Amino acid sequence: MRRTPLLAVVASLLLGAFTAPAARSAPTTFTHPGVTVSRSQLDFARSKVLAGAQPWKGAFDQMMASRYADQNRVPKPRAVVECGSYSNPNYGCTDEREDAIAAYTNALAWYITREPRYAQKAVQLMDAWSAVLQDHTNSNAPLQTGWAGSSWPKAAEIIKHTYTGGWANSGRFATMLRNVYLPEIINGSNSNGNWELSMMEAAVGISVFLEDKASYDKAMQKFRTRTAAYVYLASDGELPKTVPSQNLDTRDKIVKYWQGQTTFVTGLTQETCRDLTHTGYGISAISHVAETSRIQGQDLYGTDVGERLRHALGFQAKYELGTAVPSWLCGGSLHLGLGPVTEVGHNALHNRLGIAMTNTQALTERNRPAGSNNLFVAWETLTHGDNPN
């Protein structure tokens, strides 16, 4: 339903600044592997691939044919990764992100095939970077750290907790995550919302691997606040919720931050009128953190996080599928390209909870098998497609 905001009074603006209620503390005992994908989900995917069932076998074949599964891949670590705006300059940015995705790819390949060479390749990639990396610099450092830091712990969790061949340098890898990654991301960002959401995805995943309860709680608190400020629900009021540290204390400031959009409807995101690609980054991070939280014993899908994720997916999917853009939305024009980001949320909300998600389901099935966005999303038809676990 359309909601056109009235000129907000000061009181409503003050109420718009939102700090999430204190999340329940981190789990007493962390579940491993437990970053985005669980052991039971991996077992389900493995059983389907080995049975030749679709869409999982096709998704696995796609993954194994990708450059990330290349056993001749040579890692390209650097002491300092320098990433400017839009990765210009790009000194190690692409190499780091793609080596991290390759490590995760090989970890998945190990789990499904049980061939040790894949686990050993993942270890080689992780060891190469943990031996060298010291810092991320330039303007995109927080986002770069968030992107690469989202993939590394997914790989590390699978290898450390399922590969019996040993990983001698796992402690050094943990030290890298603790000393190089966490400090860059844990305090968040006041940039566009996809930044902080990706940074909190990385912080939550790293905290699980490190079994760091304090960092887990801090990251989850920021995640809850940012998610509420990223996806609008009609119940939020006439204006979207805001992150207190951003001081978006007038209607004009909020409209500018929301890319000039003045009409707020359920499912609209802070970056919808920028483009659906960046919106997809934010949606993906929301789904990943919600999935990790569920594995760790706190199901956020039944909270406003799940409600916002459901509506964000449905709203964006509708236009990605070709619905005409009305004149009140982003001036009547959208930049499409949501990316392979719908499987996790669709599986959780539609398959597990039974919520009808017609547009999201249609887009998800059209895009199968979902590949990688070459940043921090990879192989989610394989890991989460119609996965009941």
Side-chain angles (χ1 to χ4, degrees):
M1 179 183 293
R2 287 188 57 183
R3 288 179 61 92
T4 304
L6 304 172
L7 287 175
V9 297
V10 173
S12 67
L13 287 167
L14 291 175
L15 288 172
F18 178 75
T19 301
R24 198 189 75 186
S25 61
T28 303
T29 303
F30 284 96
T31 297
H32 303 289
V35 176
T36 308
V37 61
S38 67
R39 188 183 297 269
S40 62
Q41 289 172 320
L42 290 166
D43 286 340
F44 174 84
R46 181 172 190 260
S47 70
K48 291 298 186 181
V49 172
L50 295 182
Q54 299 298 351
W56 306 276
K57 180 61 165 61
F60 175 75
D61 291 344
Q62 173 200 42
M63 179 181 81
M64 297 307 292
S66 75
R67 64 181 183 273
Y68 298 112
D70 182 1
Q71 295 304 285
N72 294 314
R73 184 181 190 88
V74 177
K76 298 178 180 178
R78 289 173 172 258
V80 177
V81 173
E82 182 180 355
C83 307
S85 182
Y86 295 95
S87 291
N88 182 22
N90 180 341
Y91 298 132
C93 315
T94 302
D95 293 336
E96 180 189 27
R97 294 193 304 265
E98 297 197 352
D99 277 350
I101 293 173
Y104 177 51
T105 300
N106 278 278
L108 289 173
W110 143 254
Y111 198 91
I112 289 170
T113 68
R114 293 301 200 271
E115 292 185 28
R117 62 191 175 117
Y118 295 119
Q120 291 159 8
K121 191 66 179 180
V123 167
Q124 179 200 21
L125 290 158
M126 292 187 287
D127 283 355
W129 281 88
S130 69
V132 173
L133 185 64
Q134 297 175 12
D135 198 12
H136 298 87
T137 64
N138 214 318
S139 58
N140 260 30
L143 182 60
Q144 171 72 19
T145 308
W147 281 343
S150 294
S151 297
W152 287 129
K154 289 192 288 190
E157 279 282 294
I158 294 171
I159 296 302
K160 182 176 180 181
H161 297 286
T162 73
Y163 176 55
T164 57
W167 179 14
N169 291 314
S170 63
R172 188 179 72 195
F173 187 82
T175 298
M176 177 187 75
L177 294 182
R178 181 180 296 107
N179 295 344
V180 179
Y181 285 83
L182 260 186
E184 186 69 44
I185 56 179
I186 194 63
N187 292 316
S189 166
N190 287 326
S191 185
N192 282 303
N194 82 86
W195 278 50
E196 186 163 87
L197 289 166
S198 288
M199 291 161 70
M200 292 310 107
E201 177 188 344
V204 166
I206 288 168
S207 297
V208 170
F209 183 72
L210 298 178
E211 299 195 332
D212 185 334
K213 294 180 181 181
S215 291
Y216 184 95
D217 285 345
K218 182 173 182 178
M220 196 62 73
Q221 181 80 10
K222 284 190 173 294
F223 166 76
R224 295 288 301 272
T225 299
R226 176 60 70 175
T227 298
Y230 193 70
V231 182
Y232 177 80
L233 296 178
S235 57
D236 293 338
E238 297 297 342
L239 291 170
K241 294 182 181 296
T242 62
V243 175
S245 61
Q246 293 191 261
N247 298 313
L248 299 174
D249 54 1
T250 69
R251 180 181 184 276
D252 287 347
K253 287 182 182 178
I254 292 172
V255 167
K256 182 178 179 181
Y257 186 60
W258 281 64
Q259 321 295 325
Q261 178 70 5
T262 57
T263 301
F264 300 100
V265 300
T266 291
L268 181 79
T269 81
Q270 181 256 315
E271 295 186 272
T272 299
C273 293
R274 181 186 185 188
D275 58 63
L276 295 198
T277 301
H278 285 87
T279 298
Y281 300 165
I283 290 173
S284 178
I286 292 170
S287 68
H288 291 167
V289 175
E291 195 73 354
T292 296
S293 179
R294 186 188 70 89
I295 294 166
Q296 298 305 326
Q298 183 184 23
D299 196 335
L300 296 179
Y301 291 116
T303 72
D304 79 295
V305 171
E307 186 75 354
R308 292 177 196 279
L309 176 60
R310 173 169 76 93
H311 287 295
L313 283 167
F315 186 86
Q316 268 59 223
K318 176 173 63 176
Y319 296 109
E320 192 76 15
L321 288 167
T323 295
V325 182
S327 60
W328 57 263
L329 177 61
C330 310
S333 177
L334 285 173
H335 299 285
L336 302 179
L338 191 62
V341 301
T342 64
E343 287 278 16
V344 175
H346 174 259
N347 187 58
L349 296 163
H350 176 67
N351 294 332
R352 284 199 212 110
L353 298 183
I355 299 170
M357 299 178 70
T358 306
N359 290 322
T360 304
Q361 181 175 353
L363 182 61
T364 299
E365 292 175 352
R366 188 185 79 177
N367 289 345
R368 283 179 172 170
S372 175
N373 71 353
N374 304 313
L375 298 172
F376 69 102
V377 179
W379 323 128
E380 293 182 350
T381 298
L382 174 63
T383 57
H384 290 82
D386 300 338
N387 193 318
N389 296 291

